[in-house]
Amino acid sequence: QVHLVESGGGLVQAGDSLRLSCAASGSTAGMSGMGWFRQAPGNEREFVANINWRTDSTSIVDSLKGRFAISRDNAKNTVYLQMNSLKPEDTAVYYCAASFSLPFTTSLHGMDYWGQGTLVTVSS
């Protein structure tokens, strides 16, 4: 069993920055990667970014490159999502996920565990 605890969401103004955190605990041995997804009201859950836990390589959706970045802290077993220059369209529930599947992909279907989600609201 893997437990993911997310934090860092909140209400901010357009142009502000936030850093989301996701700490993993439990049976994390063999984990292939972790990622961030988001779901806005009325929309499908979509991929944001992920990190390969074995190689430290990262991937981020093209539309968010330059504003968002993913990173990790091995000592804390935590993954972060740095969000800069936030826009109202970034408003969504952001979910952390962990995968034990190979190959590691950006598909939400490849994620085996999910956090509870943290709400990010960006006002204009």
Side-chain angles (χ1 to χ4, degrees), residues 2-42:
V2 175
H3 187 210
L4 305 176
V5 179
E6 299 159 324
S7 62
L11 174 63
V12 298
Q13 295 180 329
D16 286 352
S17 297
L18 279 176
R19 189 180 71 165
L20 306 183
S21 300
C22 176
S25 61
S27 302
T28 59
M31 185 169 62
S32 59
M34 298 182 68
W36 290 96
F37 297 76
R38 69 183 184 182
Q39 187 167 16

Side-chain angles (χ1 to χ4, degrees), residues 28-34 51-57 72 74 99-104:
T28 59
M31 185 169 62
S32 59
M34 298 182 68
I51 183 167
N52 188 308
W53 211 254
R54 300 176 183 179
T55 68
D56 203 35
S57 64
R72 67 174 178 177
N74 289 338
S99 175
F100 289 79
S101 302
L102 293 173
F104 184 58

Side-chain angles (χ1 to χ4, degrees), residues 99-116:
S99 175
F100 289 79
S101 302
L102 293 173
F104 184 58
T105 71
T106 61
S107 173
L108 61 87
H109 300 291
M111 302 297 130
D112 300 298
Y113 297 92
W114 293 86
Q116 79 286 351

Side-chain angles (χ1 to χ4, degrees), residues 36-52:
W36 290 96
F37 297 76
R38 69 183 184 182
Q39 187 167 16
N43 289 2
E44 300 288 335
R45 188 170 301 185
E46 63 181 7
F47 168 76
V48 174
N50 65 21
I51 183 167
N52 188 308

